[in-house]
Amino acid sequence: MCARYTCPVCGYDGLEEPTYYENFAGSNEICACCGFEFGVDDFDCDTFEHEGLTEREIVEESHRIWREKWINDHFELFDVSAFPKEKKNGRFLKEAGAIKQLNRIKKEGL
Ligand SMILES: [Zn+2]
């Protein structure tokens, strides 16, 4: 009963639900690490033009944009209390942990 899912944006592996159901219906879970809300921050992302894109392309592009923002924000944590002291620097995830997470995304091809 403790299956966990990986966030495709930041690589945090403590999500409680799969991020998307059929047809990219989002879980509405908010990643405790990067703060992305699945089903909201993807289709509501207005940083790029959605017209002519498939749902998969919209989701992937919104993830890429959010990930860049999260990296530029120095891995700021959405829910600081969800992370043990040794993994964070104030309200930021330590870089070593962040790099490990980002490598996890690449490895799992999320
Ligand atoms: Zn995340």
Side-chain angles (χ1 to χ4, degrees):
M1 283 302 283
C2 57
R4 294 286 179 175
Y5 300 90
T6 302
C7 174
V9 178
C10 71
Y12 173 59
D13 63 355
L15 297 181
E16 288 172 12
E17 290 179 62
T19 49
Y20 295 96
Y21 301 100
E22 233 173 291
N23 300 320
F24 290 97
S27 66
N28 281 98
E29 181 174 357
I30 300 176
C31 176
C33 188
C34 69
F36 193 92
E37 183 172 356
F38 302 97
V40 174
D41 288 317
D42 27 42
F43 296 106
D44 283 356
C45 177
D46 57 6
T47 317
F48 63 98
E49 184 62 63
H50 291 199
E51 209 181 298
L53 298 180
T54 63
E55 287 178 325
R56 173 182 294 278
E57 285 167 337
I58 291 169
V59 162
E60 286 178 351
E61 181 65 3
S62 66
H63 288 176
R64 197 186 59 73
I65 288 169
W66 194 279
R67 186 182 306 123
E68 241 167 53
K69 182 172 146 291
W70 183 67
I71 292 169
N72 287 334
D73 287 344
H74 308 285
F75 320 118
E76 187 170 5
L77 295 168
F78 177 75
D79 180 4
V80 177
S81 68
F83 294 82
K85 217 175 163 187
E86 67 272 15
K87 286 197 172 178
K88 59 193 178 189
N89 247 334
R91 54 198 178 89
F92 300 96
L93 184 67
K94 281 189 181 168
E95 194 174 330
I99 288 167
K100 205 171 142 195
Q101 284 187 191
L102 292 169
N103 283 336
R104 183 182 293 141
I105 301 177
K106 275 189 225 154
K107 213 169 78 192
E108 295 183 13
L110 293 167

